[in-house]
Amino acid sequence: GETRGSRELPSAAKSLVGCDGHHAAVATHREAGTLIAAAVEPATGRPLWKAPVGGHAVGAGGGHVFLGLNSGTGALLSQIEAVSCATGRKAVLPSHARSFVQLLAAGGGRAATWHFEMGFSPSEICVTGLGEGQQRDCFPATDGEVPSFLLSGALLTADRLYFATHHMEAHNLNPAPDSWLFARALDGGETLWRSAPLTASLAPVVAGEQLVVAFGSTGADDVARLLDPADGSSLGKLALKKAPSALAADAKRAYVASHGGTLSAFALVRPGAAPAPRAAVEPQAMVTPKPADAPLPWRVLTTLDAHPKKARTSGNRVDGTADPVAFA
């Protein structure tokens, strides 16, 4: 619980992610009017690289940081940029016929994205290679035997994509089965297995020689499980008092954070090897942004309280916040 160290970020940093498998942390901020992604070495604060980008960080994995380009419609994104953790080299993932995109997972030299239209249906998942040529596979979020629902999350390994789906309603309102976890082969696109329903309402996590999943919904039991990656069968489970909100794991244990602030840890049935050492990132030549044009002569016309009245939901009784505002 002790603080190992602290480093000052650029002023007004809007997003921060750690580079998976590398000694680097990447923050976005504006510099001379240009949006910049800047990588630093966490242990020393040494600058590693900077690159102009089109959006803020939405995730990291597979040796890349991913940035989302805003669509101009609230918080929805129109495109995803991939930036190499080692060099700052940037590439834009191919566009798609669906209007909006969300990063699902990255790993094994690939990125998985979810593409949807307003209303979220119909939707597709695309798995795109991060190397030259950017090979791409797009498919519906189902195995064809159950309905295609919203995406709860996904996990990419060297040869598989695991993805979880669910519908939007609580199970005391809509008891129809949902929350399956699917395993899909990256080569050939075959669905290898589908879990039992009510299995995964979060993205799965690799833990040792198994997967950790968790499910929670009003009107149904809240539970975390260890699954066999070979066939999706259950190797063990842990009852939760509240719905799960986040998962993590190391080589010996799985960790589940639940709604309400509780954290549970439990031993793995099949412990795994220690993680591989993180790769060093060599400092690169820094980009110097061009100064922006002189700002417009803005003036304040009026000020108003943008907090809606307090919400009265199942668990939150706090002031609301204002999303981005547009003017006509």
Side-chain angles (χ1 to χ4, degrees):
E2 296 181 358
T3 300
R4 294 285 298 273
S6 62
R7 298 285 175 255
E8 185 175 348
L9 290 171
S11 60
K14 288 293 186 181
S15 62
L16 174 69
V17 293
C19 272
D20 180 37
H22 292 77
H23 281 296
V26 179
T28 58
H29 66 282
R30 290 205 174 271
E31 189 173 313
T34 300
L35 187 61
I36 292 290
V40 298
E41 188 177 61
T44 64
R46 178 176 60 160
L48 298 173
W49 53 257
K50 289 195 297 189
V53 292
H56 295 294
V58 294
H64 288 76
V65 173
F66 297 90
L67 304 113
L69 282 65
N70 196 288
S71 66
T73 308
L76 297 177
L77 304 177
S78 61
Q79 208 159 22
I80 300 289
E81 288 180 326
V83 180
S84 167
C85 287
T87 64
R89 183 179 177 184
K90 182 177 66 175
V92 178
L93 299 188
S95 59
H96 189 273
R98 304 297 182 200
S99 300
F100 305 111
V101 60
Q102 179 178 320
L103 178 71
L104 291 173
R110 298 176 171 94
T113 48
W114 176 29
H115 301 263
F116 54 90
E117 296 171 358
M118 193 65 76
F120 300 94
S121 183
S123 67
E124 285 187 315
I125 299 172
C126 289
V127 178
T128 304
L130 297 173
E132 297 294 332
Q134 290 187 324
Q135 291 184 336
R136 204 160 194 241
D137 177 30
C138 297
F139 49 91
T142 177
D143 58 358
E145 297 181 3
V146 297
S148 177
F149 289 134
L150 305 182
L151 269 293
S152 307
L155 167 68
L156 268 171
T157 64
D159 59 350
R160 291 185 184 185
L161 170 71
Y162 300 95
F163 63 93
T165 68
H166 71 103
H167 59 55
M168 293 183 69
E169 295 127 324
H171 279 258
N172 60 337
L173 301 176
N174 183 354
D178 75 339
S179 296
W180 293 281
L181 182 68
F182 300 84
R184 179 183 173 92
L186 294 176
D187 294 332
E190 176 189 1
T191 299
L192 302 175
W193 50 260
R194 181 183 78 241
S195 73
L198 310 187
T199 292
S201 54
L202 296 172
V205 173
V206 172
E209 303 298 324
Q210 58 260 283
L211 300 174
V212 178
V213 295
F215 169 82
S217 174
T218 302
D221 291 337
D222 303 324
V223 62
R225 289 186 174 87
L226 302 177
L227 298 186
D228 189 334
D231 57 10
S233 60
S234 178
L235 300 174
K237 67 179 183 178
L238 176 71
L240 303 173
K241 294 182 179 180
K242 294 283 187 177
S245 56
L247 294 174
D250 56 28
K252 296 181 179 180
R253 292 184 180 182
Y255 305 87
V256 185
S258 295
H259 182 72
T262 59
L263 181 66
S264 303
F266 57 102
L268 302 179
V269 175
R270 301 173 180 173
R278 292 179 179 267
V281 177
E282 296 300 325
Q284 308 287 319
M286 293 292 179
V287 176
T288 303
K290 297 179 180 179
D293 295 334
L296 294 172
W298 296 107
R299 60 192 178 94
V300 176
L301 298 179
T302 186
T303 303
L304 66 151
D305 182 359
H307 290 92
K309 292 182 178 180
K310 290 185 178 181
R312 296 193 177 277
T313 70
S314 60
N316 300 305
R317 294 172 184 262
V318 298
D319 288 336
T321 59
D323 270 345
V325 180
F327 298 89

